Amino acid sequence: MNIREMRTQLGDTQKQFAMRYSIPFRTVQNWETNVRKPPNYIISLLEARTQADLANKKTIALPKYDPNKVNLPKRSDYIGATSWLKAVCDCISEPIVFALDDALMCQGSFGGRNDEYTVWVYGNDSLSRFNGVVVLGNQISPFSIIEKNGLLFTDFNRTLADAFANEAILDMQGITEAISRYYFRNGESFEGIFVVPEYQEKFNELAKEAIKYFEN
């Protein structure tokens, strides 16, 4: 697959594709017009990332409780989000990457809720055998994963992208709180946050709410 095919699959303009993957705009133009040829490892890397971005937008509804499924540990039985998420990992007993609110808990950007039921992850579809587990996708770029305290979770920018992609079924309180914390911890700046083009307008709106979050 060439660069243009990857870009058109995503529905991006050249400028949007360049912004999405932090590539100079002129470089994308040169690649597509064959003025220059990207190295094979760059093509392989971009192909993996575009396919992951295309694959990981399939969640359309929250799972309902099913008495025939396996129950995860209750959030209320644990002190602190990290201890609960470790217990969830032990219960699931297969590789997972925490996403959305759970990723924010791992990052220390959101405390979570005592009655937490839903767990957002990247992993195999077989995880649907557990009550409360929402599988956002089966694969994710290793460049978007952080490991801390024995847990794997999405980095802040990927967490934001996932939040906007799943906004219709997600309580955005955790994201709003996390953006607010980021802003004030970063000297009242959003520097370092990257939002893909299709979500920039939504981020701008949420950023305004986030700034007011701790001021009110």
Side-chain angles (χ1 to χ4, degrees):
M1 187 181 301
N2 61 39
I3 300 299
R4 185 178 185 280
E5 289 171 334
M6 297 179 205
R7 176 176 65 77
T8 53
Q9 276 196 345
L10 289 165
D12 284 357
T13 64
Q14 288 182 336
K15 182 178 180 180
Q16 289 171 333
F17 188 84
M19 290 176 63
R20 181 189 294 273
Y21 298 119
S22 301
I23 304 169
F25 173 61
R26 182 65 66 183
T27 299
V28 174
Q29 284 187 317
N30 289 340
W31 286 346
E32 290 199 10
T33 55
N34 294 318
V35 173
R36 293 184 179 179
K37 183 179 179 181
N40 288 334
Y41 79 91
I42 291 291
I43 294 177
S44 297
L45 175 61
L46 285 174
E47 185 169 6
R49 295 191 68 176
T50 54
Q51 290 306 306
D53 285 345
L54 286 167
N56 296 326
K57 295 182 180 180
K58 64 182 183 180
T59 305
I60 58 175
L62 291 175
K64 295 182 179 179
Y65 180 79
D66 184 342
N68 296 314
K69 291 185 177 182
V70 180
N71 291 326
L72 293 174
K74 292 182 179 180
R75 173 68 176 88
S76 57
D77 290 341
Y78 294 83
I79 298 175
T82 299
S83 60
W84 173 59
L85 292 173
K86 285 184 176 180
V88 168
C89 283
D90 291 340
C91 180
I92 289 176
S93 192
E94 63 178 270
I96 57 172
V97 176
F98 287 112
L100 295 175
D101 284 358
D102 303 298
L104 296 177
M105 292 180 208
C106 293
Q107 296 163 17
S109 300
F110 178 53
R113 308 168 184 83
N114 197 47
D115 59 348
E116 201 75 53
Y117 170 74
T118 304
V119 176
W120 309 85
V121 301
Y122 284 94
N124 294 325
D125 286 334
S126 61
L127 295 173
S128 61
R129 69 185 184 276
F130 294 96
N131 272 311
V133 172
V134 181
V135 179
L136 293 185
N138 304 132
Q139 56 181 316
I140 183 170
S141 168
F143 296 100
S144 297
I145 300 174
I146 296 174
E147 182 175 3
K148 183 180 179 182
N149 297 320
L151 301 172
L152 297 176
F153 52 95
T154 55
D155 64 23
F156 195 69
N157 285 324
R158 183 53 188 248
T159 304
L160 284 180
D162 286 340
F164 292 127
N166 295 279
E167 186 177 9
I169 60 171
L170 178 67
D171 180 346
M172 296 293 281
Q173 177 189 341
I175 296 296
T176 303
E177 183 177 321
I179 293 176
S180 182
R181 289 180 185 275
Y182 185 101
Y183 177 77
F184 288 106
R185 287 175 177 174
N186 200 40
E188 298 189 1
S189 169
F190 292 119
E191 185 178 355
I193 292 180
F194 172 75
V195 182
V196 294
E198 62 261 42
Y199 301 134
Q200 187 62 58
E201 186 174 344
K202 289 184 177 181
F203 173 76
N204 292 341
E205 294 174 0
L206 194 59
K208 292 178 183 178
E209 295 180 22
I211 291 173
K212 298 176 183 177
Y213 188 82
F214 281 119
E215 291 180 344
N216 295 335

